[in-house]
Amino acid sequence: MYLGHDSVMTSRPILLAFTVFVLLAGANAAAVKAVLGEMPPFWSAGLRFVLAGGLLLAYMVITRRPAPRGRELLGTVLFGVIAFTLAYFFLYQAIGDAGSGTTMTVLAIVPLLTVLLSVVHGIERPRLLGVVGALIAAAGIVIVALDQVSLDVPLIAFALLIFAAISQAESVVIVKRLPPGDPVAANALGMLLGGSLLIAVSLVAGEPLVLPTEPDTLLGMAYLIGPGSIGVFMLALYVLARWTASATSYAFLLFPLVAIVLGAVLFAEPVRPSFLLGGAIVVVGVYIGAIYRPKASAGEPEPDAVSAEA
């Protein structure tokens, strides 16, 4: 991967921010699983984003960030519906059965899916490396799926994770086509919209609107609202402002490592050789198809890459 001079010559504060970003985001799957032990999926996801969005909205007002209008408002609405409502509609139904490690391994294909969907939408030209990477990542996903079947993980949970990854990738493409403007405003309004729609789904599904009472649930929800949503988002902004998008995309490949360790420690989730093999193949496929860029010749601009969505 060609990072450019600014990315290679990085400082310790940026490396520290990137490391904390990876750790916080990688732990989200474990926190979600803890919350789902007491709270139903749609209600807990909706409550998480409404509260996190409300805090970001307060920050937006205090710092006088501009509100989106026109095409920016349309982009913000689509971003909220796809990135938060659809993605987490699928994700929260799956993670209880799939486990933390599997969840983050499947979501590691988001950068690659974004590249492929960008081609479908006509934003980028098809690349041979993208096709090769997709095939390699698909082989890894098949290995992970077969491993999970042997552990009695429902295939529906695995399918839901794929749909969640597609939704997250599509949200990045939407942002490219219809930039929502100020990122703080976009995430504040997107979280509020997505969270409100998830609460509406919860009401239609007849979920009990219970508030967390167990210590593990309270801790998990507090984590998801603060470090897991606001903290991850702010750190992603900090790193993206100082690194290339392709460099920041490395985070997607590191999230599964954090999730696998936490899943094994907190929930005694099994870590088998076939799972590790499949996960490693997915990482290689994503790197080849979405992140690796041959070093540009002198005078040629560096190809744009997929930005990391927290």
Side-chain angles (χ1 to χ4, degrees):
M1 179 180 70
Y2 178 62
L3 300 179
H5 297 296
D6 293 337
S7 298
V8 174
M9 300 300 293
T10 187
S11 65
R12 289 184 180 179
I14 302 175
L15 288 174
L16 177 61
F18 178 78
T19 301
V20 176
F21 166 53
V22 169
L23 292 174
L24 293 182
N28 271 351
V32 169
K33 187 168 183 178
V35 168
L36 292 179
E38 182 181 358
M39 301 177 68
F42 304 137
W43 165 242
S44 59
L47 184 61
R48 165 192 175 182
F49 289 124
V50 165
L51 294 177
L55 292 174
L56 278 177
L57 181 63
Y59 176 78
M60 169 187 162
V61 173
I62 292 172
T63 56
R64 299 181 179 180
R65 300 267 183 166
R69 292 182 174 85
R71 286 177 58 85
E72 289 184 352
L73 180 58
L74 176 59
T76 298
V77 170
L78 291 175
F79 173 64
V81 171
I82 298 172
F84 297 107
T85 306
L86 283 180
Y88 287 88
F89 173 86
F90 297 124
L91 179 62
Y92 268 64
Q93 292 184 85
I95 193 170
D97 292 324
S100 306
T102 301
T103 296
M104 284 302 184
T105 298
V106 174
L107 294 184
I109 67 174
V110 168
L112 178 57
L113 288 174
T114 304
V115 171
L116 297 178
L117 287 173
S118 295
V119 172
V120 172
H121 284 272
I123 296 176
E124 297 181 7
R125 295 179 180 179
R127 297 170 51 247
L128 177 60
L129 286 178
V131 176
V132 173
L135 294 174
I136 294 174
I141 290 294
V142 169
I143 293 174
V144 173
L146 293 176
D147 181 76
Q148 297 307 293
V149 169
S150 68
L151 294 175
D152 297 326
V153 174
L155 279 178
I156 184 63
F158 195 81
L160 288 169
L161 289 177
I162 296 292
F163 285 124
I166 293 173
S167 299
Q168 289 191 351
E170 180 66 17
S171 71
V172 177
V173 177
I174 290 297
V175 168
K176 288 183 178 181
R177 293 188 67 91
L178 294 169
D182 181 80
V184 173
N187 276 269
L189 299 178
M191 285 183 183
L192 286 171
L193 174 60
S196 299
L197 290 175
L198 285 168
I199 290 176
V201 172
S202 175
L203 291 173
V204 172
E207 290 183 343
L209 306 185
V210 297
L211 294 177
T213 57
E214 297 293 331
D216 289 349
T217 312
L218 287 168
L219 180 62
M221 183 61 77
Y223 180 87
L224 289 171
I225 294 170
S229 293
I230 298 175
V232 164
F233 167 69
M234 293 301 180
L235 286 169
L237 281 182
Y238 178 83
V239 175
L240 278 169
R242 292 158 178 82
W243 276 6
T244 59
S246 56
T248 309
S249 294
Y250 264 125
F252 278 101
L253 309 186
L254 299 175
F255 292 161
L257 302 179
V258 178
I260 289 170
V261 171
L262 288 178
V265 172
L266 298 178
F267 305 110
E269 294 177 358
V271 181
R272 295 164 25 131
S274 54
F275 176 82
L276 295 177
L277 173 62
I281 292 175
V282 170
V283 167
V284 171
V286 172
Y287 175 78
I288 292 174
I291 296 176
Y292 173 73
R293 295 292 188 274
K295 187 171 182 178
S297 302
E300 292 182 3
E302 177 190 357
D304 191 21
V306 181
S307 62
E309 169 60 39

